[in-house]
Amino acid sequence: MSLATLSYWQTGRSRPERRESLAALAELEKILEVEPGSLAALVGPPRPRGRHLHKSTDNPELGAFWSERDLIVDLAQGIDTRWDERLTRLSQHDRVNVGADRGEVSFLVRQVLRAEADGPDRWVAIIRLDVPGNPLPLLTPVRNCRLGRIVEHPESGLLLAELLFDRPLAKGETVITEHALHNYPPFPLAKQYERKFRLPVREYVVEVCFDPAALPRAVYQYQQMDGRDEQVTSMEVDVGHSVHAIALDYGPGRYGLRWDWE
């Protein structure tokens, strides 16, 4: 057993749940000369895994609304997601920049979060390229955060990352963070931008800025919530060559913009 594994168990980053891990735990009890079963009792019941298992809360699992649900749950074992449900999403603003070649150039994400308990010290970002196989984007902290652990799965275009706050939040405290994503040229063709909300958000703004040399033929706002049918609304590009949509008290669900070039 590695020292890293022991450290993960101590901090709660991971838990001994597999048969081999529980056997190792029994050996640790002997080495530490503690009561048999005393360490195992601290672990608690196994965490839900897979889409068919019963969940202990009413909140959707981390991979909800993603086609790669099980893969995201597995990848998330490498990062700390324990504070996700202790952060209320007060406001989120996503700004997408589309270049003259119709490619996804960059994204800027600004969010306002409130701690519902003492201790939250990070936000977990999940990013997926629309066209897997392209280089994963460069994630850059912009304001009030820094990079923690990153888990990449290039084959599926998935990237999971911890954005660490400057310090742990106290209950009721708020934080404003910003981070950016920059794709590498040749930029992947931009066809849509979608945000998946496992937990509700008070205010969500999505904005797509087009290069004046490449304006779409048509733009649509779409959303799907609570297992209902997808709702689609036609949008217009404004004089500044951008389009935006706003959702209030939204989620869980999917919300985004898509557009046609021809």
Side-chain angles (χ1 to χ4, degrees), residues 180-237:
L181 294 122
H182 299 270
N183 282 317
Y184 296 95
F187 302 116
L189 179 65
K191 296 181 179 179
Q192 69 172 27
Y193 182 85
E194 177 179 288
R195 172 68 63 175
K196 296 173 175 62
F197 292 100
R198 183 176 77 92
L199 300 172
V201 61
R202 295 278 186 87
E203 175 201 62
Y204 176 57
V205 180
V206 56
E207 178 184 12
V208 181
C209 302
F210 297 97
D211 189 286
L215 298 179
R217 179 186 63 82
V219 182
Y220 307 93
Q221 181 271 316
Y222 66 94
Q223 63 188 67
Q224 187 174 29
M225 189 172 164
D226 298 332
R228 305 171 190 169
D229 293 338
E230 185 178 81
Q231 301 178 30
V232 181
T233 304
S234 180
M235 306 285 290
E236 295 290 337
V237 177

Side-chain angles (χ1 to χ4, degrees), residues 10-27:
Q10 285 181 303
T11 60
R13 192 177 305 172
S14 65
R15 295 164 56 175
E17 295 178 348
R18 300 180 185 278
R19 180 181 302 175
E20 297 85 355
S21 298
L22 293 175
L25 206 61
E27 294 301 318

Side-chain angles (χ1 to χ4, degrees), residues 116-175:
E116 301 304 333
D118 292 337
D121 62 351
R122 71 198 64 204
W123 168 266
V124 176
I126 304 177
I127 300 104
R128 180 187 180 275
L129 288 178
D130 289 335
V131 183
N134 285 11
L136 292 174
L138 173 66
L139 195 158
T140 306
V142 176
R143 183 182 178 197
N144 294 335
C145 61
R146 66 186 189 278
L147 278 179
R149 290 183 294 271
I150 297 177
V151 178
E152 298 180 339
H153 195 267
E155 297 83 358
S156 62
L158 279 167
L159 183 153
L160 283 70
E162 296 173 343
L163 292 167
L164 307 178
F165 307 149
D166 294 333
R167 57 179 174 77
L169 302 179
K171 182 178 180 180
E173 192 172 5
T174 57
V175 63

Side-chain angles (χ1 to χ4, degrees), residues 12-165:
R13 192 177 305 172
S14 65
R15 295 164 56 175
E17 295 178 348
R18 300 180 185 278
R19 180 181 302 175
E20 297 85 355
S21 298
L22 293 175
L25 206 61
E27 294 301 318
L28 279 175
E29 291 170 346
K30 296 177 183 177
I31 294 171
L32 298 173
E33 298 181 350
V34 298
E35 191 72 21
S38 59
L39 294 182
L42 300 175
V43 176
R47 291 176 293 187
R49 295 178 184 270
R51 65 182 64 146
H52 303 298
L53 297 181
H54 174 72
K55 301 201 307 293
S56 59
T57 70
D58 294 331
N59 292 325
E61 64 183 11
L62 189 67
F65 311 111
W66 297 83
S67 57
E68 308 87 350
R69 174 180 304 197
D70 290 342
L71 176 59
I72 288 175
V73 171
D74 288 341
L75 294 176
Q77 301 304 309
I79 58 178
D80 187 350
T81 62
R82 57 183 162 158
W83 296 114
D84 193 57
E85 296 185 9
R86 303 296 183 93
L87 289 167
T88 294
R89 286 75 166 156
L90 296 178
S91 177
Q92 180 141 9
H93 185 166
D94 294 342
R95 181 172 182 174
V96 185
N97 294 304
V98 179
D101 62 353
R102 302 180 178 180
E104 299 175 348
V105 178
S106 63
F107 310 84
L108 179 66
V109 178
R110 175 187 177 273
Q111 54 193 6
V112 183
L113 306 168
R114 184 183 68 209
E116 301 304 333
D118 292 337
D121 62 351
R122 71 198 64 204
W123 168 266
V124 176
I126 304 177
I127 300 104
R128 180 187 180 275
L129 288 178
D130 289 335
V131 183
N134 285 11
L136 292 174
L138 173 66
L139 195 158
T140 306
V142 176
R143 183 182 178 197
N144 294 335
C145 61
R146 66 186 189 278
L147 278 179
R149 290 183 294 271
I150 297 177
V151 178
E152 298 180 339
H153 195 267
E155 297 83 358
S156 62
L158 279 167
L159 183 153
L160 283 70
E162 296 173 343
L163 292 167
L164 307 178
F165 307 149

